Amino acid sequence: MVNKATRPTDGIIGQDLWNIQLDEQGQLKHFLTIEGLGTNILNQILDTAESFAGINESVKKVPLLRGKTIVNLFFEASTRTRTTFELAAKRLSADVLNMNMSTSATSKGESLLDTLRNIEAMQTDMFIVRHADSGTAHFIANHVAPHIRVLNAGDGSHAHPTQAMLDMFTIRRNKGADFGRLRVAIVGDIKHSRVARSQIHALNTLNTGEVRVVAPRTLIPKDVEAMGVNVFYNLAQGIQDADVVIMLRLQKERMQGALLPSEQEYFQLYGLTEERLQLAKPDAIVMHPGPINRGVEIESSVADGPQSVILNQVTYGIAVRMAVISMTLGGNTGNAQAQKNQEQT
Ligand code: CP
């Protein structure tokens, strides 16, 4: 297998991007991007999530973050990310404030920073931010009070780090911890996908055997090979012998101009059907971050079929987000089982 992993640079925000994510002890302080984080941090997230996954299956709540207040600031639509962040925070016993940004005072002309100052004044501890503009979570992290933690819940086409980590968790649960044995194919609109970027960084940091991207030329970003992937323009070749096939939706809201002839033609060339899935390894898993578009990037019988782990990804998102929230807010993550016992008594 070929792994051309290189240390990436971040063209959008700059070289200092990763520094503000870590404190002086090298512990996670904000979670804005996978870039610049070492294997140790990614494995710490996965291991911590594993301890929370067990708790989620039984007692469902630990008192780790009692007294903390977490604010969901979603400037862009979300089903899975917003709700699983909310569930994660509640299962850690934090208070959760869901701001409806379409009805907040930013729609009356208040600046983003003034809105943030006001939410800070409510003695809050964490902002979870989704925004259509790349770099927004990073901008906010640079301007909040020192005690506030910021998590990126997706910024433009830049990054979606908790999605990538729940995807890594799903792969680890199904395929084991040795990513070096794995061939992972990411298929679809790579160019506009923050999920794909974060997945590629995470897979390479975890030393995945081979990372492939599969798409029409118009949906492959320039210089993508520098991110340490092999590029395929043909679906059959791209998923051949893959252990993991990750399908992505067409990000039409971020496309400028006609990059595709039609959705029907896209499905004919790049849609994952039962027949095509047979080209991957017999035990390959099929993933998708959602929302899925049936009949565009994936056939319904594959999305709902025995190799699909799409809904498991959603479930694991709670444990992974619990891990990231508790690590950044300084909860005693190593003592999750003791916390569970305390709750039960
Ligand atoms: N995967 C994902 O980000 O889904 P939502 O847009 O529903 O949050």
Side-chain angles (χ1 to χ4, degrees), residues 77-82 130 160 163 289-291:
S78 167
T79 299
R80 286 146 285 270
T81 311
R82 198 198 63 72
R130 169 170 289 193
H160 195 349
Q163 177 68 47

Side-chain angles (χ1 to χ4, degrees), residues 260-277:
L260 295 167
S262 71
E263 288 183 350
Q264 289 80 1
E265 191 168 339
Y266 180 81
F267 181 71
Q268 278 169 17
L269 293 173
Y270 291 95
L272 188 62
T273 60
E274 285 186 72
E275 191 185 346
R276 286 174 174 156
L277 182 56

Side-chain angles (χ1 to χ4, degrees), residues 274 277 286 294 298-310:
E274 285 186 72
L277 182 56
V286 176
R294 295 168 187 265
I298 191 165
E299 195 172 53
S300 268
S301 58
V302 176
D304 304 328
Q307 287 168 267
S308 170
V309 293
I310 294 171

